[in-house]
Amino acid sequence: MKQAVLIMSVVAAGAVLIAGCADSNHRTTQQTTTSNQVATTVPVNPPPPNIEDMKNPLGVTPETIASGKKLYDQACWGCHGKDGKSDGPDSNNLPQKPTNFTTDPDFQTMPDGEVFWIIKKGIKGTAMPSWETTYSDNQIWQIEAYIIQFRQDPKNRKGFGQPSATSLTDGATAPS
């Protein structure tokens, strides 16, 4: 019994050390809480350079939002919920709750490119899958345009800039 307690203590200390060494201010990591409430930092698949400068090339328009809603209803609502509050019917069956788009502080100001990249590539070590083989880049940008509508501050619902040359679109590559 003492040996089991010692092993659990070492594992917990290692998790805290790893979490403490991670760059907690870098938005390409996500804080998650496991069933035993130990916070860990899970790295997202490495983003391209200048990810924070990437803007939605489609813009955030009524048309892109409506298209994004249709795609969200097909793929995202089961975990993230109808209103983006991480209360979808599948959310209780996951090892940790999905991002609540209405209250998560990182999501509230996350640049367009980072939201796009997370949808496209998923988040390693979580239930957030990669959608890059299911949806085109344009469709992922439509989902991005829709989910930012869940943000609390209306000024953040338009994204963080107009379309730019650094945006990824079908067939394009990220700048080097």
Side-chain angles (χ1 to χ4, degrees):
M1 181 68 176
K2 288 182 184 180
Q3 189 175 21
V5 171
L6 177 62
I7 291 171
M8 301 241 343
S9 297
V10 170
V11 169
V16 169
L17 178 63
I18 290 169
C21 291
D23 180 4
S24 62
N25 292 321
H26 195 270
R27 287 193 182 132
T28 56
T29 62
Q30 176 177 338
Q31 289 290 326
T32 61
T33 304
T34 60
S35 59
N36 62 1
Q37 301 300 309
V38 176
T40 58
T41 301
V42 179
V44 172
N45 293 310
N50 304 325
I51 190 77
E52 291 187 4
D53 297 330
M54 293 169 63
K55 307 299 179 205
N56 188 325
L58 308 177
V60 180
T61 66
E63 295 79 18
T64 57
I65 293 168
S67 296
K69 180 185 184 329
K70 289 178 186 173
L71 297 167
Y72 179 92
D73 289 347
Q74 292 171 6
C76 309
W77 77 272
C79 295
H80 292 283
K82 177 181 168 247
D83 299 317
K85 296 180 181 178
S86 74
D87 59 355
D90 299 331
S91 66
N92 291 328
N93 300 323
L94 301 174
Q96 68 264 355
K97 283 292 218 180
T99 297
N100 181 327
F101 299 134
T102 64
T103 61
D104 181 79
D106 289 331
F107 180 75
Q108 298 304 306
T109 58
M110 186 177 288
D112 297 352
E114 289 187 43
V115 176
F116 169 87
W117 195 254
I118 290 170
I119 297 166
K120 181 172 180 156
K121 295 294 186 175
I123 302 174
K124 290 181 181 179
T126 74
M128 177 62 194
S130 165
W131 292 102
E132 73 180 320
T133 60
T134 305
Y135 296 117
S136 69
D137 284 354
N138 283 345
Q139 289 173 312
I140 293 171
W141 281 118
Q142 290 168 343
I143 295 169
E144 184 271 344
Y146 178 69
I147 67 172
I148 66 172
Q149 302 312 303
F150 294 125
R151 290 177 172 163
Q152 292 176 353
D153 188 341
K155 72 178 175 146
N156 294 340
R157 294 180 189 155
K158 295 196 182 278
F160 289 93
Q162 295 302 311
S164 70
T166 60
S167 298
L168 284 178
T169 59
D170 293 330
T173 57
S176 42

Coordinates of all heavy atoms in Angstrom, one line a residue, residues 17-84:
L17 N 5.1 19.3 -12.2 CA 6.3 19.8 -12.8 C 6.2 20.1 -14.3 O 6.6 21.2 -14.8 CB 7.5 18.8 -12.5 CG 8.9 19.2 -13.0 CD1 9.3 20.5 -12.4 CD2 9.9 18.1 -12.8
I18 N 5.7 19.1 -15.0 CA 5.5 19.3 -16.4 C 4.6 20.5 -16.7 O 4.9 21.3 -17.6 CB 5.0 18.0 -17.1 CG1 6.1 17.0 -17.1 CG2 4.5 18.3 -18.5 CD1 5.6 15.6 -17.4
A19 N 3.5 20.6 -16.0 CA 2.5 21.7 -16.2 C 3.2 23.0 -15.9 O 3.0 24.0 -16.6 CB 1.3 21.5 -15.4
G20 N 4.0 23.0 -14.8 CA 4.7 24.3 -14.4 C 5.8 24.7 -15.4 O 6.0 25.9 -15.6
C21 N 6.4 23.8 -16.1 CA 7.4 24.1 -17.1 C 6.8 24.6 -18.4 O 7.5 25.2 -19.2 CB 8.3 22.9 -17.3 SG 9.3 22.5 -15.9
A22 N 5.6 24.3 -18.6 CA 5.0 24.7 -19.9 C 4.8 26.2 -20.0 O 4.6 26.8 -18.9 CB 3.6 23.9 -20.1
D23 N 4.8 26.7 -21.1 CA 4.6 28.2 -21.3 C 3.1 28.4 -21.2 O 2.3 28.3 -22.1 CB 5.1 28.6 -22.7 CG 4.8 30.0 -23.0 OD1 4.4 30.8 -22.1 OD2 5.2 30.5 -24.1
S24 N 2.6 28.8 -20.0 CA 1.2 29.0 -19.8 C 0.6 30.2 -20.5 O -0.6 30.3 -20.6 CB 0.9 29.1 -18.3 OG 1.6 30.3 -17.8
N25 N 1.4 31.1 -21.0 CA 0.9 32.3 -21.7 C 0.8 32.0 -23.2 O 0.2 32.8 -23.9 CB 1.8 33.5 -21.5 CG 1.7 33.9 -20.1 OD1 0.6 33.9 -19.5 ND2 2.8 34.3 -19.5
H26 N 1.4 30.9 -23.7 CA 1.3 30.7 -25.2 C 0.0 30.0 -25.5 O -0.4 29.0 -25.0 CB 2.5 29.8 -25.5 CG 2.7 29.7 -27.0 ND1 2.1 28.8 -27.8 CD2 3.5 30.5 -27.8 CE1 2.5 29.1 -29.1 NE2 3.3 30.1 -29.1
R27 N -0.7 30.6 -26.4 CA -2.1 30.1 -26.7 C -2.2 28.8 -27.5 O -3.2 28.4 -27.8 CB -2.9 31.2 -27.5 CG -3.2 32.4 -26.6 CD -4.2 33.2 -27.3 NE -4.5 34.4 -26.4 CZ -4.5 35.6 -26.8 NH1 -4.3 35.9 -28.1 NH2 -4.9 36.6 -26.0
T28 N -1.0 28.3 -27.9 CA -1.1 27.0 -28.6 C -1.0 25.9 -27.6 O -0.6 24.8 -27.9 CB 0.0 26.9 -29.6 OG1 1.2 27.1 -29.0 CG2 -0.3 27.9 -30.8
T29 N -1.4 26.1 -26.3 CA -1.5 25.1 -25.3 C -2.9 25.3 -24.7 O -3.5 26.3 -24.8 CB -0.5 25.2 -24.2 OG1 -0.6 26.5 -23.5 CG2 0.9 25.1 -24.7
Q30 N -3.4 24.2 -24.1 CA -4.7 24.3 -23.5 C -4.7 23.7 -22.1 O -4.2 22.6 -21.9 CB -5.8 23.5 -24.4 CG -7.1 23.5 -23.7 CD -8.2 22.8 -24.5 OE1 -8.0 22.7 -25.7 NE2 -9.2 22.4 -23.9
Q31 N -5.2 24.4 -21.2 CA -5.3 23.9 -19.8 C -6.5 22.9 -19.8 O -7.6 23.3 -20.3 CB -5.6 25.0 -18.8 CG -4.4 25.9 -18.6 CD -3.3 25.2 -17.8 OE1 -3.5 24.3 -17.0 NE2 -2.1 25.5 -18.1
T32 N -6.3 21.7 -19.3 CA -7.4 20.8 -19.2 C -7.4 20.2 -17.8 O -6.4 20.3 -17.0 CB -7.2 19.6 -20.2 OG1 -6.0 18.9 -19.9 CG2 -7.2 20.0 -21.6
T33 N -8.5 19.7 -17.3 CA -8.6 19.2 -16.0 C -9.1 17.7 -16.2 O -10.1 17.5 -16.9 CB -9.6 19.9 -15.2 OG1 -9.2 21.3 -15.1 CG2 -9.7 19.4 -13.8
T34 N -8.4 16.8 -15.6 CA -8.8 15.4 -15.7 C -9.8 15.1 -14.6 O -10.1 15.9 -13.8 CB -7.5 14.5 -15.5 OG1 -7.0 14.8 -14.3 CG2 -6.5 14.8 -16.6
S35 N -10.3 13.9 -14.6 CA -11.3 13.5 -13.7 C -10.9 13.7 -12.2 O -11.7 13.8 -11.4 CB -11.8 12.0 -13.9 OG -10.6 11.2 -13.8
N36 N -9.6 13.6 -12.0 CA -9.1 13.8 -10.6 C -8.7 15.3 -10.3 O -8.0 15.6 -9.4 CB -8.0 12.8 -10.2 CG -6.8 13.0 -11.1 OD1 -6.7 13.9 -12.0 ND2 -5.8 12.2 -10.9
Q37 N -9.1 16.2 -11.2 CA -8.9 17.6 -11.1 C -7.5 18.1 -11.1 O -7.1 19.1 -10.5 CB -9.6 18.1 -9.8 CG -11.1 17.9 -9.8 CD -11.8 18.5 -11.0 OE1 -11.7 19.7 -11.2 NE2 -12.6 17.8 -11.7
V38 N -6.6 17.3 -11.7 CA -5.2 17.8 -11.9 C -5.1 18.5 -13.2 O -5.3 17.9 -14.3 CB -4.2 16.6 -11.9 CG1 -2.8 17.0 -12.1 CG2 -4.3 15.8 -10.5
A39 N -4.7 19.8 -13.2 CA -4.6 20.6 -14.4 C -3.3 20.2 -15.1 O -2.3 20.0 -14.5 CB -4.6 22.1 -14.1
T40 N -3.4 20.0 -16.4 CA -2.3 19.7 -17.3 C -2.4 20.6 -18.5 O -3.4 21.0 -18.9 CB -2.3 18.2 -17.7 OG1 -3.5 18.0 -18.4 CG2 -2.2 17.3 -16.5
T41 N -1.2 20.8 -19.1 CA -1.1 21.6 -20.3 C -1.0 20.7 -21.5 O 0.0 19.9 -21.5 CB 0.0 22.6 -20.2 OG1 -0.2 23.5 -19.1 CG2 0.1 23.5 -21.5
V42 N -1.9 20.7 -22.4 CA -1.8 19.8 -23.6 C -1.4 20.6 -24.8 O -2.2 21.5 -25.2 CB -3.2 19.1 -23.8 CG1 -3.1 18.2 -25.0 CG2 -3.6 18.4 -22.5
P43 N -0.3 20.3 -25.4 CA 0.1 21.1 -26.6 C -0.8 20.7 -27.8 O -1.2 19.6 -28.0 CB 1.5 20.6 -26.9 CG 1.7 19.3 -26.2 CD 0.7 19.3 -25.1
V44 N -1.1 21.8 -28.6 CA -1.8 21.7 -29.8 C -0.8 21.3 -30.9 O 0.4 21.6 -30.7 CB -2.5 23.0 -30.2 CG1 -3.1 23.0 -31.5 CG2 -3.5 23.4 -29.1
N45 N -1.2 20.6 -31.9 CA -0.3 20.3 -33.0 C 0.4 21.6 -33.4 O -0.2 22.7 -33.5 CB -1.1 19.7 -34.2 CG -1.7 18.4 -33.9 OD1 -1.0 17.5 -33.4 ND2 -2.9 18.2 -34.1
P46 N 1.7 21.6 -33.7 CA 2.5 22.8 -33.9 C 1.8 23.6 -35.1 O 1.6 23.1 -36.2 CB 3.8 22.3 -34.3 CG 3.9 20.9 -33.8 CD 2.5 20.4 -33.8
P47 N 1.6 24.9 -34.8 CA 1.0 25.8 -35.8 C 2.0 26.3 -36.7 O 3.2 26.3 -36.4 CB 0.4 26.9 -35.0 CG 1.3 27.0 -33.8 CD 1.7 25.6 -33.5
P48 N 1.6 26.8 -37.9 CA 2.6 27.5 -38.8 C 3.1 28.8 -38.2 O 2.4 29.3 -37.2 CB 1.8 27.7 -40.1 CG 0.4 27.8 -39.6 CD 0.3 26.9 -38.4
P49 N 4.1 29.3 -38.7 CA 4.6 30.6 -38.2 C 3.5 31.7 -38.5 O 2.7 31.6 -39.4 CB 5.9 30.9 -39.1 CG 5.9 30.0 -40.2 CD 4.9 28.8 -39.8
N50 N 3.6 32.7 -37.7 CA 2.6 33.9 -37.8 C 1.2 33.5 -37.6 O 0.3 34.1 -38.2 CB 2.8 34.6 -39.2 CG 4.3 35.0 -39.4 OD1 4.9 35.4 -38.4 ND2 4.7 34.9 -40.6
I51 N 0.9 32.5 -36.9 CA -0.5 32.0 -36.7 C -1.4 33.1 -36.1 O -2.5 33.2 -36.5 CB -0.5 30.8 -35.7 CG1 -1.9 30.1 -35.7 CG2 -0.1 31.1 -34.3 CD1 -2.2 29.3 -36.9
E52 N -0.8 34.0 -35.3 CA -1.6 35.1 -34.7 C -2.0 36.1 -35.7 O -2.9 36.9 -35.5 CB -0.9 35.7 -33.5 CG -0.9 34.7 -32.3 CD -0.4 35.3 -31.0 OE1 -0.1 36.5 -31.0 OE2 -0.2 34.5 -30.1
D53 N -1.3 36.2 -36.8 CA -1.6 37.1 -37.9 C -2.6 36.6 -38.9 O -3.0 37.4 -39.8 CB -0.3 37.5 -38.6 CG 0.7 38.2 -37.7 OD1 0.3 38.9 -36.7 OD2 1.9 38.1 -37.9
M54 N -2.9 35.4 -38.9 CA -3.8 34.8 -39.9 C -5.2 35.3 -39.6 O -5.7 35.2 -38.5 CB -3.7 33.3 -39.9 CG -2.4 32.7 -40.3 SD -2.2 31.0 -40.0 CE -3.5 30.3 -41.0
K55 N -5.9 35.8 -40.6 CA -7.3 36.2 -40.5 C -8.2 35.4 -41.4 O -7.8 34.7 -42.3 CB -7.4 37.7 -41.0 CG -6.4 38.6 -40.3 CD -6.6 38.7 -38.8 CE -5.6 39.7 -38.2 NZ -5.3 39.4 -36.9
N56 N -9.4 35.3 -41.0 CA -10.4 34.6 -41.8 C -10.5 35.2 -43.2 O -11.0 36.3 -43.3 CB -11.8 34.6 -41.1 CG -12.8 33.7 -41.7 OD1 -12.8 33.5 -42.9 ND2 -13.6 33.1 -40.8
P57 N -10.1 34.4 -44.2 CA -10.1 34.9 -45.6 C -11.5 35.1 -46.1 O -11.7 35.9 -47.1 CB -9.4 33.9 -46.4 CG -9.6 32.6 -45.6 CD -9.6 33.0 -44.2
L58 N -12.5 34.5 -45.5 CA -13.9 34.7 -45.9 C -14.6 35.9 -45.3 O -15.7 36.3 -45.7 CB -14.7 33.4 -45.6 CG -14.1 32.1 -46.1 CD1 -14.9 30.9 -45.7 CD2 -13.9 32.1 -47.6
G59 N -14.0 36.4 -44.2 CA -14.6 37.4 -43.5 C -15.7 36.8 -42.6 O -16.0 35.7 -42.7
V60 N -16.2 37.6 -41.6 CA -17.2 37.2 -40.7 C -18.5 37.9 -41.2 O -18.8 39.0 -40.8 CB -16.9 37.5 -39.3 CG1 -18.0 37.0 -38.4 CG2 -15.6 36.8 -38.9
T61 N -19.2 37.2 -42.1 CA -20.4 37.8 -42.7 C -21.6 37.0 -42.3 O -21.5 35.8 -41.9 CB -20.2 37.8 -44.3 OG1 -20.2 36.5 -44.7 CG2 -19.0 38.5 -44.7
P62 N -22.8 37.5 -42.6 CA -24.0 36.6 -42.3 C -24.0 35.3 -43.1 O -24.4 34.3 -42.6 CB -25.2 37.5 -42.7 CG -24.7 38.9 -42.6 CD -23.2 38.9 -42.9
E63 N -23.4 35.4 -44.3 CA -23.4 34.1 -45.1 C -22.4 33.1 -44.5 O -22.7 31.9 -44.5 CB -23.0 34.5 -46.5 CG -24.0 35.3 -47.3 CD -24.0 36.8 -47.0 OE1 -22.9 37.3 -46.4 OE2 -25.0 37.5 -47.2
T64 N -21.2 33.6 -44.1 CA -20.2 32.6 -43.6 C -20.7 32.1 -42.2 O -20.5 30.9 -41.9 CB -18.8 33.2 -43.5 OG1 -18.8 34.4 -42.6 CG2 -18.2 33.5 -44.8
I65 N -21.3 32.9 -41.4 CA -21.8 32.5 -40.1 C -22.9 31.4 -40.3 O -22.9 30.4 -39.7 CB -22.4 33.7 -39.3 CG1 -21.2 34.6 -38.9 CG2 -23.1 33.2 -38.1 CD1 -21.6 36.0 -38.4
A66 N -23.8 31.7 -41.3 CA -24.9 30.7 -41.5 C -24.3 29.4 -42.1 O -24.8 28.3 -41.6 CB -25.9 31.3 -42.6
S67 N -23.4 29.4 -42.9 CA -22.7 28.2 -43.4 C -22.0 27.5 -42.3 O -22.0 26.3 -42.2 CB -21.7 28.5 -44.6 OG -22.4 29.0 -45.7
G68 N -21.3 28.3 -41.5 CA -20.6 27.7 -40.3 C -21.5 27.0 -39.3 O -21.2 26.0 -38.7
K69 N -22.7 27.6 -39.1 CA -23.7 27.0 -38.2 C -24.1 25.6 -38.7 O -24.2 24.7 -37.9 CB -24.9 27.9 -38.0 CG -26.0 27.3 -37.1 CD -27.2 28.1 -37.0 CE -28.2 27.6 -36.0 NZ -28.3 26.2 -35.8
K70 N -24.4 25.5 -40.0 CA -24.8 24.2 -40.6 C -23.7 23.2 -40.3 O -24.0 22.0 -39.9 CB -25.0 24.3 -42.1 CG -26.3 25.1 -42.4 CD -26.5 25.2 -43.9 CE -27.7 26.1 -44.2 NZ -27.8 26.4 -45.6
L71 N -22.4 23.5 -40.5 CA -21.3 22.6 -40.3 C -21.2 22.3 -38.8 O -20.9 21.2 -38.4 CB -20.0 23.2 -40.8 CG -20.0 23.4 -42.4 CD1 -18.8 24.2 -42.8 CD2 -20.0 22.0 -43.1
Y72 N -21.3 23.3 -37.9 CA -21.2 23.2 -36.5 C -22.3 22.2 -36.0 O -22.0 21.3 -35.2 CB -21.4 24.5 -35.8 CG -21.4 24.5 -34.3 CD1 -20.2 24.7 -33.6 CD2 -22.5 24.3 -33.5 CE1 -20.2 24.7 -32.2 CE2 -22.5 24.2 -32.2 CZ -21.3 24.4 -31.5 OH -21.3 24.4 -30.1
D73 N -23.5 22.4 -36.5 CA -24.6 21.5 -36.2 C -24.3 20.0 -36.6 O -24.8 19.1 -35.9 CB -25.9 21.9 -36.8 CG -26.4 23.2 -36.1 OD1 -26.0 23.6 -35.1 OD2 -27.4 23.8 -36.7
Q74 N -23.5 19.8 -37.6 CA -23.2 18.5 -38.0 C -22.1 17.8 -37.2 O -22.1 16.6 -36.9 CB -22.7 18.5 -39.5 CG -23.7 18.8 -40.5 CD -23.1 19.0 -41.9 OE1 -21.9 18.8 -42.1 NE2 -23.9 19.4 -42.8
A75 N -21.1 18.7 -36.8 CA -19.9 18.1 -36.2 C -19.6 18.5 -34.8 O -18.9 17.8 -34.1 CB -18.7 18.4 -37.1
C76 N -20.0 19.6 -34.3 CA -19.5 20.2 -33.1 C -20.4 20.2 -31.9 O -20.0 20.1 -30.8 CB -19.0 21.7 -33.3 SG -17.9 21.9 -34.8
W77 N -21.7 20.3 -32.2 CA -22.7 20.5 -31.1 C -22.8 19.4 -30.2 O -23.1 19.5 -29.0 CB -24.1 20.8 -31.7 CG -24.8 19.6 -32.2 CD1 -24.7 19.1 -33.5 CD2 -25.6 18.7 -31.5 NE1 -25.5 18.0 -33.6 CE2 -26.0 17.7 -32.3 CE3 -26.1 18.7 -30.2 CZ2 -26.9 16.7 -31.9 CZ3 -26.9 17.7 -29.8 CH2 -27.3 16.7 -30.6
G78 N -22.5 18.2 -30.6 CA -22.5 17.0 -29.7 C -21.7 17.1 -28.5 O -22.0 16.7 -27.4
C79 N -20.5 17.8 -28.7 CA -19.6 18.0 -27.5 C -19.8 19.4 -27.0 O -19.9 19.6 -25.8 CB -18.2 17.8 -27.9 SG -17.8 16.1 -28.4
H80 N -19.7 20.4 -27.9 CA -19.7 21.8 -27.4 C -21.1 22.4 -27.1 O -21.2 23.4 -26.5 CB -19.0 22.7 -28.5 CG -17.6 22.4 -28.6 ND1 -16.6 22.9 -27.7 CD2 -16.9 21.7 -29.5 CE1 -15.5 22.5 -28.0 NE2 -15.6 21.7 -29.1
G81 N -22.2 21.7 -27.5 CA -23.5 22.1 -27.2 C -24.1 23.1 -28.2 O -23.4 23.7 -28.9
K82 N -25.4 23.2 -28.2 CA -26.1 24.0 -29.1 C -25.7 25.5 -29.0 O -25.6 26.2 -30.0 CB -27.6 23.9 -28.8 CG -28.5 24.8 -29.6 CD -30.0 24.7 -29.3 CE -30.8 25.8 -29.9 NZ -31.3 26.7 -28.9
D83 N -25.4 25.9 -27.8 CA -25.0 27.3 -27.5 C -23.6 27.5 -27.2 O -23.2 28.5 -26.6 CB -25.9 27.9 -26.4 CG -27.4 27.9 -26.8 OD1 -27.7 28.2 -27.9 OD2 -28.2 27.5 -25.9
G84 N -22.7 26.5 -27.5 CA -21.3 26.6 -27.3 C -20.9 26.5 -25.8 O -19.8 26.9 -25.5

